[in-house]
Amino acid sequence: MPLRHFFKTEIRYWLPMVLMTYIGINGYLSGWTSWLVPDLHVPLMYTGDQLFYGVMFKRQIEGFWYLENMQFGYPFVSALYDFPMSFLDAVTIKLFGLISPAWYAVYTMYVVTSFVVNAVVGYVVMRAMQITPWWALVGATLFNLLPFHFYRIGH
């Protein structure tokens, strides 16, 4: 079955899961008072690596690409060739950077979006393994809400 036909025929299963995941994750991360719009004024705390991720996001937003940015490593260009990033991640961060120039706002949008994408991919993989739609919905939601995903992210 082609992927386009799959998404068209099973939209009644995965679209409510996407909406519930977005509202639940956004409520958990941004506070239960803001369900639909993430709180972009308060950065998420990512203990241990938050400064590094902040630098990478800031480089991606302000520079041409995250590998080289003139603001870091002055008087020379700082390079991060040892930390590869996928092209789709870099484009997503760049697009979110058009919405807000603050790295922590982009990071918040990126984290919330990653939970939604994780739920959809989990559902598609379970359906590809011939699991019924309802069990795939339950499995993708439970996998997405495992405690490990929240272990390193705080506010």
Side-chain angles (χ1 to χ4, degrees):
M1 173 184 333
L3 197 58
R4 181 175 50 193
H5 184 265
F6 173 77
F7 279 118
K8 186 178 178 182
T9 57
E10 299 202 6
I11 192 170
R12 66 178 187 259
Y13 297 114
W14 63 265
L15 189 60
M17 178 188 65
V18 164
L19 294 174
M20 288 186 302
T21 301
Y22 173 77
I23 290 172
I25 296 302
N26 189 32
Y28 178 75
L29 294 177
S30 295
W32 297 110
T33 57
S34 64
W35 289 89
L36 296 177
V37 180
D39 186 8
L40 301 178
H41 298 75
V42 179
L44 293 173
M45 284 196 44
Y46 196 46
T47 57
D49 295 334
Q50 183 177 7
L51 184 61
F52 174 71
Y53 282 109
V55 167
M56 286 188 64
F57 273 66
K58 190 170 178 64
R59 292 170 76 128
Q60 180 66 26
I61 294 166
E62 293 179 355
F64 174 69
W65 209 242
Y66 85 100
L67 293 174
E68 293 181 355
N69 191 335
M70 291 299 292
Q71 294 180 350
F72 298 105
Y74 185 80
F76 307 105
V77 176
S78 176
L80 280 178
Y81 297 118
D82 293 339
F83 299 96
M85 179 186 296
S86 73
F87 180 75
L88 188 58
D89 283 342
V91 169
T92 304
I93 293 168
K94 202 69 158 160
L95 289 175
F96 286 157
L98 297 174
I99 297 171
S100 174
W103 71 267
Y104 50 85
V106 173
Y107 181 70
T108 302
M109 289 186 278
Y110 182 80
V111 168
V112 169
T113 305
S114 70
F115 276 95
V116 173
V117 170
N118 189 24
V120 172
V121 169
Y123 179 79
V124 170
V125 167
M126 288 185 196
R127 287 295 290 143
M129 294 173 19
Q130 302 296 325
I131 297 175
T132 61
W134 288 107
W135 282 112
L137 181 73
V138 169
T141 304
L142 288 178
F143 174 74
N144 204 22
L145 299 177
L146 284 176
F148 174 75
H149 296 151
F150 301 107
Y151 179 67
R152 297 180 67 186
I153 298 174
H155 218 299

